[in-house]
Amino acid sequence: MFEISNSFIFQTMLKSSVFLGLSAGMLGVFISYQRRSIEINALAAGSFVGTLLLFLLTSLGFSVNPYVFSQVDKHIYSFVGSILGVLIMITILNILYKTNRLHPHIIQSLMTAVLLGVGITLITSIKQAGGALDSGIDVYLFGETTSLTNEEFYFLRIITISIVFLLLIFFRRMRIVIFNLDIAKTTHFHTKFYIHLINIFVICLVALSVKLMGVFLAVSIFLIPSVTARLWSRRLFPIMILSGFIGALGGGIGSVIAGSISRVSSGIAITIVLSTMFFLSLILSPYKGLLGHWLRRKK
């Protein structure tokens, strides 16, 4: 059982979840309005498979320099594999969108199911190969914040803080691009830049969230805070700020629970906390909550 009294590991675990929850919650507002929840599942599955493929190829001797791999932390390979997996997944989805008449959500669901099956097969192959790569490979299923190294945490913090900073700076432009792309094209700023910027944010955070939340639950830290925040406000900027706060709070509480209770993964704990906050908001929210609706009917 993880000892919560170990301050270094506990602080790293807590801060990682808070930073990820803050940035993913804020970005999740734009994702939810774009209706990209199923796409996030597909990208998480692509990130999962990309990481496992890189690990497997390295274990089979396809590394450029095995000595270098033995000296470099495995998290570097993990993040590189995640990014490559997400980029390949985006490419495949775009090709399928153009060559099929199926609805994009159907294509995304099919690709998610296929890649999850491939990922489970790869995990089995890696475990059979054994060696150093087998250590901790299960964290990609349901997440584990205690597996983060100090270098990995600083890397995550730089990316998440940068995303939060850029979201605040470019909020107005992104709002126009998200809600009315036709009007945005008539203005004098580059709409493609902001569209690509949002996609870059998505790629980075999906690649980071797979290890902390797991491939099955990565989408929850993006969407549950944003949906919960929309129950408490009707304006986009307060929704984004509140969503980031809910994501950070849920990530922090969930990581504490995961660190305190044996055999509870961080992804499951954080998702349960965020879901609890959503259902409480669904009841107590003055705008769209069940209690507010009941009181208005009484009047």
Side-chain angles (χ1 to χ4, degrees):
M1 178 179 178
F2 168 68
E3 296 292 339
I4 201 168
S5 60
N6 190 330
S7 59
F8 174 75
I9 299 178
F10 172 69
Q11 289 178 10
T12 302
M13 174 186 70
L14 180 62
K15 291 177 182 178
S16 300
S17 301
V18 169
F19 279 117
L20 179 65
L22 174 64
S23 56
M26 293 177 67
L27 181 63
V29 173
F30 296 96
I31 293 174
S32 63
Y33 278 111
Q34 287 183 306
R35 299 180 180 179
R36 298 177 63 181
S37 57
I38 302 179
E39 181 184 350
I40 296 299
N41 275 327
L43 297 183
S47 173
F48 174 57
V49 173
T51 303
L52 297 179
L53 274 175
L54 193 58
F55 282 170
L56 184 60
L57 291 176
T58 306
S59 68
L60 295 176
F62 288 92
S63 176
V64 176
N65 191 333
Y67 175 77
V68 172
F69 178 76
S70 65
Q71 302 299 317
V72 177
D73 288 335
K74 192 168 62 175
H75 71 270
I76 297 176
Y77 277 75
S78 169
F79 185 72
V80 171
S82 295
I83 291 292
L84 291 176
V86 173
L87 292 175
I88 293 172
M89 188 70 253
I90 291 176
T91 303
I92 293 174
L93 288 176
N94 287 332
I95 293 173
L96 292 176
Y97 294 156
K98 296 176 180 178
T99 57
N100 288 271
R101 295 184 178 179
L102 294 174
H103 193 278
H105 289 174
I106 297 177
I107 296 175
Q108 293 160 8
S109 300
L110 289 173
M111 291 304 301
T112 302
V114 170
L115 288 177
L116 287 178
V118 173
I120 299 300
T121 304
L122 289 176
I123 282 186
T124 304
S125 302
I126 291 174
K127 285 185 171 295
Q128 289 177 351
L133 294 177
D134 184 24
S135 176
I137 200 69
D138 291 335
V139 302
Y140 294 98
L141 293 176
F142 297 104
E144 187 55 68
T145 52
T146 57
S147 63
L148 290 178
T149 63
N150 193 30
E151 294 81 5
E152 201 168 4
F153 162 66
Y154 285 118
F155 183 65
L156 179 146
R157 184 172 65 176
I158 291 172
I159 291 180
T160 53
I161 291 178
S162 300
I163 289 175
V164 170
F165 181 71
L166 292 173
L167 282 173
L168 292 174
I169 289 179
F170 298 123
F171 169 76
R172 292 186 177 181
R173 300 290 180 88
M174 289 182 177
R175 178 180 60 185
I176 297 174
V177 170
I178 291 297
F179 287 103
N180 203 324
L181 185 59
D182 294 331
I183 292 179
K185 289 179 179 179
T186 62
T187 59
H188 296 288
F189 64 88
H190 300 288
T191 56
K192 289 185 178 180
F193 168 77
Y194 296 101
I195 293 174
H196 292 324
L197 189 62
I198 293 175
N199 290 331
I200 290 172
F201 292 164
V202 169
I203 292 170
C204 292
L205 286 184
V206 167
L208 290 172
S209 64
V210 168
K211 188 171 185 179
L212 272 72
M213 295 295 297
V215 62
F216 296 107
L217 302 173
V219 68
S220 64
I221 202 166
F222 288 91
L223 296 181
I224 297 179
S226 64
V227 174
T228 305
R230 289 168 67 176
L231 294 172
W232 291 97
S233 180
R234 297 174 179 174
R235 298 178 60 189
L236 186 61
F237 188 77
I239 288 175
M240 186 182 73
I241 299 300
L242 183 58
S243 179
F245 173 76
I246 293 171
L249 182 62
I253 296 175
S255 64
V256 172
I257 294 174
S260 305
I261 303 176
S262 178
R263 297 182 180 179
V264 175
S265 69
S266 60
I268 294 175
I270 292 172
T271 301
I272 291 175
V273 172
L274 291 175
S275 300
T276 302
M277 296 171 70
F278 167 74
F279 284 113
L280 289 175
S281 299
L282 186 62
I283 296 172
L284 302 175
S285 169
Y287 296 107
K288 301 180 181 178
L290 300 177
L291 182 60
H293 179 70
W294 181 77
L295 291 175
R296 286 192 295 272
R297 290 188 60 184
K298 279 289 185 180
K299 293 180 181 179

